[in-house]
C-alpha cells in the first residue's frame, strides 16, 4: 500500500482531536485558551481534506460544524482578550 496524503491528513486530524481531549483531561490544556479551539479547528480541516478523497456527507457536515464551533471559540477568546486590554 502506497502513501496516501488524504489518509495521512485524516489520521493527523483525528490525532488532533485525541491530543486536545486527552490534554484537556490531564489539565495540560485549558478549554478557555486559544489553543484548544485552534487544535480542534486544525483537526476538522485535516479530516475535511481526507473526506475530499472519500466523500461521506454526514462526516463532512460534522467536520463543518466542528470547524465552525472552533472558529467561534477562537473569536470569543480574541474578543475577550481585546476587551481586557482596552
Amino acid at each position: 500500500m502506497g502513501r496516501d496524503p488524504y489518509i495521512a491528513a485524516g489520521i493527523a486530524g483525528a490525532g488532533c482531536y485525541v491530543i486536545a481531549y486527552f490534554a484537556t483531561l490531564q489539565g495540560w490544556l485549558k478549554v478557555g485558551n486559544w489553543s484548544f479551539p485552534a487544535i480542534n479547528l486544525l483537526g476538522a480541516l485535516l479530516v475535511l481534506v481526507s473526506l475530499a478523497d472519500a466523500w461521506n456527507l454526514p462526516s463532512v457536515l460534522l467536520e463543518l460544524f466542528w470547524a465552525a464551533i472552533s472558529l467561534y471559540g477562537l473569536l470569543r477568546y480574541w474578543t475577550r482578550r481585546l476587551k481586557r486590554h482596552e
Side-chain angles (χ1 to χ4, degrees), residues 16-17 20-21 35-45 63 66-67 70:
C16 287
Y17 293 145
Y21 185 59
S35 53
F36 182 74
I39 294 170
N40 278 284
L41 176 60
L42 178 61
L45 295 176
E63 297 308 320
W66 201 279
S70 297

Side-chain angles (χ1 to χ4, degrees), residues 4-44:
D4 185 342
Y6 294 103
I7 290 175
I11 291 170
C16 287
Y17 293 145
V18 171
I19 288 167
Y21 185 59
F22 183 72
T24 301
L25 290 177
Q26 288 296 106
W28 303 332
L29 190 62
K30 303 295 181 210
V31 175
N33 196 339
W34 68 270
S35 53
F36 182 74
I39 294 170
N40 278 284
L41 176 60
L42 178 61

